[in-house]
Amino acid sequence: GRRIVYNPKIAHAEAHFHPAAAEDIVSFFEQSLGSPIAAKGYTAYLWKEFANFGALIGLFVFLYGLIMVLLELPYFSVLCTEAPARIPAPKGKGKLRVAINILIIGIVGALTVEWGMEMGAKVLGKIAPKLYVSWTGNGIGGWSVWMAIVVSVVYLVNYFLFDKKNGVSTESWGFKISKQNFLRTLVFLGVFFGAFCLVVYGIFFFFGTDFRFWIYAIRGVSKAEMMYLFWYFPVFFIYYLAHSWTTNASYRYEGAGKMNIYLCILAAILAPVLGFAIEYYGNYVLDILIWKVMWVYYLWLINIAVNLTLATLLSRKLFEKTGNIWLATFLNTTIATYITIATSRMITFLT
């Protein structure tokens, strides 16, 4: 027998569809099983990908509609209150200051992806090695906590040096909520997640499929994996609390039109997009790995960018509906944590 190692010059994410990977797979079967017998019919894999992508979009549309319908129910309608006053729109040097703030967050975030994820893997593993067992979850969670610190520091420095002097009140932050409404928010989360699981697990039970495209997946998880949702929820909650707060406190300007949401999305996803771009620029153009320790960290940034785009849209919409950041924070945290578990599966590597 022979031992053949296939190592095509492609990125990990390309293995699904790159011609070089397909050629190596065919070569393996030819050398191990002999010349293939011509198969009748055709492969449906590509069409399955497109169909699953359509289903994934449909799931997100359904979940958004579900949230809006739930808010119309008498029990949850009391959560809908007037949103705080918008902050004054920046003028002159103020616009430059906003651009610099976004760039600082994006550049710092991009340059610390590997460090943040390495620290997450080490620290969470030491805090509770029997609970935080996911390489992916620890890495993404660690970087997320670090980014929560970065965006919070940038915002607070900007607030106390400039916005507070211009009359911006902490009322615009959206932290204020009554105890009754906070409890109803938690009930809302439970009802939403129950409906979410009913759809995801129901589709798999009746049709044997799930919602996915490329490396992004929403699928049913095992009972053991589901338990990790409770352990990783607090980690991701730190980031999505900071995200919901700063998204609405920093960029919700007076007189801002619909284009304002694109500024919010840019501020949220610049770090993962820039980090991914730097790593893959080195891979494709310079033929080197910019960061050599764990380049797969940068593959995870694709899913993070998608999650943050959707989270920003939902955060702004629910802030306008409820007047606070809590409902969006809980929903975004739950969805992002579940997707992290469902996409990566739980990789036990610390024991």
Side-chain angles (χ1 to χ4, degrees), residues 150-160 163 173 245-246 249-250:
V150 172
V151 298
S152 298
V153 168
V154 170
Y155 173 74
L156 289 173
V157 169
N158 183 77
Y159 174 78
F160 286 108
D163 288 348
W173 292 1
W245 165 43
T246 56
S250 298

Side-chain angles (χ1 to χ4, degrees), residues 110-344:
L111 296 180
T112 56
V113 169
E114 188 172 77
W115 172 82
M117 293 194 180
E118 282 287 303
M119 288 299 295
K122 293 177 182 178
V123 174
L124 289 176
K126 289 181 178 179
I127 291 175
K130 293 184 178 180
L131 301 180
Y132 295 110
V133 300
S134 169
W135 174 30
T136 305
N138 292 357
I140 297 176
W143 185 66
S144 297
V145 171
W146 164 244
M147 287 306 299
I149 296 172
V150 172
V151 298
S152 298
V153 168
V154 170
Y155 173 74
L156 289 173
V157 169
N158 183 77
Y159 174 78
F160 286 108
L161 290 182
F162 303 102
D163 288 348
K164 188 176 182 180
K165 296 177 181 179
N166 295 329
V168 176
S169 168
T170 55
E171 292 291 324
S172 65
W173 292 1
F175 280 99
K176 189 175 181 180
I177 186 174
S178 67
K179 291 182 179 179
Q180 183 183 30
N181 280 359
F182 188 80
L183 291 175
R184 292 193 186 215
T185 297
L186 296 180
V187 175
F188 189 106
L189 176 64
V191 173
F192 170 84
F193 188 65
F196 170 82
C197 290
L198 186 64
V199 172
V200 172
Y201 286 86
I203 289 295
F204 182 78
F205 179 81
F206 287 107
F207 302 103
T209 188
D210 49 34
F211 306 89
R212 67 175 65 222
F213 182 73
W214 194 17
I215 60 173
Y216 192 95
I218 299 179
R219 59 170 185 82
V221 298
S222 68
K223 186 184 298 184
E225 289 174 318
M226 181 67 80
M227 293 305 298
Y228 288 105
L229 179 68
F230 297 98
W231 310 130
Y232 283 95
F233 183 94
V235 177
F236 286 94
F237 182 83
I238 295 172
Y239 174 76
Y240 283 99
L241 177 62
H243 168 269
S244 187
W245 165 43
T246 56
T247 293
N248 293 292
S250 298
Y251 311 111
R252 190 169 161 269
Y253 302 128
E254 294 175 347
K258 294 183 178 180
M259 294 297 291
N260 177 256
I261 192 63
Y262 296 111
L263 176 66
C264 299
I265 293 174
L266 174 64
I269 70 171
L270 183 59
V273 170
L274 189 58
F276 180 85
I278 293 173
E279 179 69 355
Y280 280 83
Y281 175 81
N283 182 30
Y284 287 113
V285 179
L286 304 179
D287 198 26
I288 61 172
L289 291 176
I290 304 297
W291 291 283
K292 299 179 176 62
V293 176
M294 279 304 300
W295 56 264
V296 75
Y297 289 154
Y298 298 87
L299 180 62
W300 298 341
L301 296 179
I302 299 174
N303 287 359
I304 293 174
V306 174
N307 289 343
L308 290 182
T309 299
L310 298 174
T312 302
L313 293 169
L314 185 62
S315 179
R316 174 55 59 84
K317 181 65 177 181
L318 292 182
F319 190 84
E320 298 291 355
K321 292 278 290 185
T322 66
N324 64 73
I325 63 174
W326 296 107
L327 182 57
T329 297
F330 280 112
L331 292 176
N332 285 331
T333 302
T334 302
I335 295 171
T337 307
Y338 186 91
I339 290 175
T340 300
I341 295 172
T343 299
S344 65

